[in-house]
Amino acid sequence: MPHTLAALNTGQLNEWRATLLVKETACLSAEDRCAVDEELAADTGTFDGAGDKTIISAARAAAYRRDPRSVTQRSARAAEERHVSLRPAPDTMTYLTALLPVAQGVAVHAALSRRADTLRSGGDARTRDRSWPMPSSNAPPAPQEGSAGLRSSSS
């Protein structure tokens, strides 16, 4: 990506933004990456004043115009790499993290929000973010297989 490299060398792009351009075109062939690099021409000041989201959006759109199949396959592979992790935190707490496709992530958030609203309407005095997903008794809700569009890892 010679234009991206030139923009990096002249200070028109910082390392992070050059990385964003490379990352968003990584699924393309070398020839298509060069074509996207030529189209975006970061070394001509195309991205002067642009933020990360603008740069990502421009790179994604250009990549899709060059090779929609590769971009779509990349998205499908990302969905296959979804996972949930649990890490210890201080004071007998844990960090629960989920990497989910957008539709499932939104569904989980909506389910937790509905649960918090139900608790609050039942008299739980905690703020909304403090009341989900645990009820006031601090007993965890029973996991429900298939709820919020989720499947177990064995599916």
Side-chain angles (χ1 to χ4, degrees):
M1 298 185 70
H3 291 281
T4 300
L5 180 59
L8 179 63
N9 288 335
T10 61
Q12 291 174 302
L13 282 179
N14 62 28
E15 284 183 47
W16 173 247
R17 292 190 171 160
T19 300
L20 293 175
L21 289 171
V22 171
K23 181 180 144 205
E24 293 303 324
T25 58
C27 62
L28 301 176
S29 67
E31 179 183 330
D32 285 339
R33 272 195 314 273
C34 285
V36 168
D37 188 50
E38 178 77 29
E39 177 184 336
L40 297 178
D43 60 335
T44 64
T46 307
F47 295 122
D48 287 351
D52 292 354
K53 288 181 183 180
T54 301
I55 291 171
I56 291 169
S57 178
R60 283 182 183 169
Y64 189 81
R65 283 191 297 277
R66 289 300 295 183
D67 188 356
R69 178 188 283 173
S70 289
V71 174
T72 303
Q73 287 173 339
R74 174 184 174 173
S75 181
R77 277 192 306 274
E80 291 170 2
E81 293 173 1
R82 68 181 186 249
H83 69 274
V84 176
S85 63
L86 188 68
R87 294 180 300 129
D91 300 324
T92 66
M93 301 292 282
T94 61
Y95 294 105
L96 175 65
T97 305
L99 177 65
L100 303 170
V102 124
Q104 290 178 339
V106 169
V108 167
H109 187 270
L112 291 171
S113 295
R114 280 191 306 273
R115 178 70 176 142
D117 290 343
T118 299
L119 292 171
R120 294 214 44 220
S121 68
D124 193 321
R126 292 175 291 176
T127 60
R128 188 179 203 210
D129 63 328
R130 299 261 184 220
S131 59
W132 41 285
M134 305 298 279
S136 57
S137 69
N138 285 330
Q144 296 178 357
E145 182 69 25
S147 64
L150 298 177
R151 297 186 316 219
S152 71
S153 58
S154 62
S155 296

